[in-house]
Amino acid sequence: MKKNKKDILLVALGGNALIRKGQQGTVKEQFENLKLPIGQIANLSKKYRIIITHGNGPQVGDLLLQQECCNAAPRLPLEILVAQTQGQIGYMIESTLDSELMSLGINSHQRIVSLLSYVVVDENDPAFKDPTKPIGPVFTEEEAEKLPYPVKKTAKGYRRVVVSPRPVTIVVKREIKKLINMDFIVICCGGGGIPVIRDGRRFNGVDAVIDKDLASAVLAKEVGADIFIIASDVSGAALNYGTENQEFLRHLTITEAQKYLEQGHFPKGSMRPKIEAAIQVMEKKGKRAVICSIEDIEKAVSGNAGTEIIHN
């Protein structure tokens, strides 16, 4: 097999790629919202081997709420709900991508595949004792006080939080690498992947949700991605976010990014995991890592938008 010379572009889509602020999150809304980021990715597929990962915070939170509203069927653990959202969102991304490729006249030869993806976590991870991962809808402080499960304040408001251990390795990394070398567009690691722990040669699912940015960083390192794009609902990272002293950062060295993390400029549940993910990729000799808005994916790839983490 000839070596595929096209660079590998990994795009990690945030939850807002499907559900925008103030929306109910209907299927119609989600399909409509996907057109913008997926249209850009379709165009980029002319020049790059493409991997798409995605969040599932709103969707997996909704599934939890739905099953808690009804006792007619047994409740499912989080790793099963994550698997369900991988299928749900993978289908939505894949079908939207196929339509966008068709509009460009390149769908006849571009192959797409969505993978159920296991991600190994450490059973001794301290995160199992401290739920921190925001999922589901946003609540007011008054609403949050009445909820029967743990909540924490985020940049968007109060949200339910669940256990979120750090990813160790992507189980299907070899399959993903083989597929992208065959020029498939691969949709994988949805919602950070299905969290599993090793038991000898076997894997057991655990009741948790993995951060999709951190899982995407592990995948980027394991498949040798050349460009790592984290696309969300903000134009990039900023100091003093949400205040009158807010300062957008166009470029950040690894050392600067680590310093600002220690100073608390990037809060948990929002920008912090994105910065951590970008640092991890660049520390492992990654070529480029950029945090941008979903509107600016193509601009970020060309070096004209977002916050780019660079080597010292």
Side-chain angles (χ1 to χ4, degrees):
M1 183 185 296
K2 288 184 178 180
K3 185 177 180 180
N4 195 322
K5 294 183 179 180
K6 292 197 297 184
D7 281 351
I8 300 171
L9 168 62
L10 193 159
V11 181
L13 295 174
N16 71 303
L18 287 93
I19 302 177
R20 297 297 188 94
K21 186 176 181 179
Q23 291 184 334
Q24 291 182 314
T26 65
V27 170
K28 183 178 180 181
E29 287 173 338
Q30 293 185 59
F31 269 116
E32 188 63 32
N33 292 336
L34 276 173
K35 290 180 182 179
L36 177 59
I38 297 303
Q40 296 174 78
I41 292 172
N43 197 43
L44 287 164
S45 71
K46 299 174 186 176
K47 297 181 179 179
Y48 299 94
R49 285 177 280 168
I50 303 286
I51 300 172
I52 303 171
T53 63
H54 60 83
N56 72 341
Q59 292 82 7
V60 77
D62 286 346
L63 286 178
L64 271 177
L65 288 173
Q66 287 169 8
Q67 68 176 10
E68 288 165 352
C69 290
C70 177
N71 294 317
R75 294 184 181 182
L76 302 173
L78 268 174
E79 82 266 16
I80 299 299
L81 299 184
V82 170
Q84 289 182 354
T85 60
Q86 284 191 359
Q88 167 193 342
I89 301 171
Y91 154 68
M92 299 179 80
I93 291 175
E94 186 169 337
S95 59
T96 303
L97 181 57
D98 193 50
S99 296
E100 294 299 322
L101 290 168
M102 187 181 301
S103 69
L104 294 172
I106 56 177
N107 71 312
S108 60
H109 62 270
Q110 180 62 72
R111 296 171 290 183
I112 314 169
V113 64
S114 299
L115 297 180
L116 284 176
S117 312
Y118 300 168
V119 176
V120 176
V121 299
D122 183 353
E123 63 181 317
N124 297 313
D125 192 313
F128 282 109
K129 297 179 181 179
D130 181 25
T132 59
K133 176 65 177 173
I135 63 171
V138 176
F139 300 101
T140 65
E141 185 174 1
E142 291 75 20
E143 290 171 330
E145 289 175 352
K146 301 174 184 177
L147 296 173
Y149 39 75
V151 296
K152 287 189 178 180
K153 188 175 183 180
T154 71
K156 297 179 181 179
Y158 289 86
R159 297 182 72 188
R160 182 178 194 161
V161 288
V162 296
V163 166
S164 184
R166 297 182 76 86
V168 175
T169 186
I170 313 301
V171 176
V172 292
K173 55 184 176 289
R174 288 179 293 274
E175 290 83 352
I176 293 169
K177 194 162 189 176
K178 187 169 185 178
L179 286 165
I180 58 174
N181 285 337
M182 295 168 63
D183 226 15
F184 277 84
I185 295 177
V186 179
I187 303 163
C188 59
C189 289
I194 302 166
V196 296
I197 57 173
R198 290 189 187 276
D199 183 10
R201 294 175 63 93
R202 300 172 61 185
F203 297 107
N204 294 323
V206 293
D207 202 37
V209 171
I210 302 169
D211 183 89
K212 76 98 177 40
D213 295 317
L214 297 178
S216 299
V218 172
L219 177 61
K221 292 183 289 184
E222 292 185 329
V223 303
D226 298 284
I227 304 175
F228 179 42
I229 300 291
I230 301 175
S232 67
D233 57 353
V234 293
S235 58
L239 301 181
N240 306 305
Y241 180 75
T243 72
E244 59 182 20
N245 297 320
Q246 179 174 310
E247 178 187 351
F248 172 71
L249 302 168
R250 182 67 184 84
H251 294 94
L252 269 178
T253 66
I254 293 173
T255 299
E256 289 171 334
Q258 290 170 331
K259 179 183 72 174
Y260 293 141
L261 274 175
E262 292 171 1
Q263 292 175 350
H265 282 284
F266 309 127
K268 294 180 180 179
S270 56
M271 188 53 65
R272 185 180 186 89
K274 294 172 175 53
I275 293 291
E276 289 181 343
I279 290 173
Q280 287 177 28
V281 169
M282 295 307 291
E283 283 183 329
K284 292 297 181 179
K285 299 182 180 179
K287 293 182 180 178
R288 295 186 62 214
V290 190
I291 301 164
C292 68
S293 73
I294 59 170
E295 291 86 0
D296 291 334
I297 293 172
E298 286 185 284
K299 288 182 179 179
V301 171
S302 64
N304 296 311
T307 299
E308 184 155 357
I309 307 299
I310 59 176
H311 293 289
N312 295 328

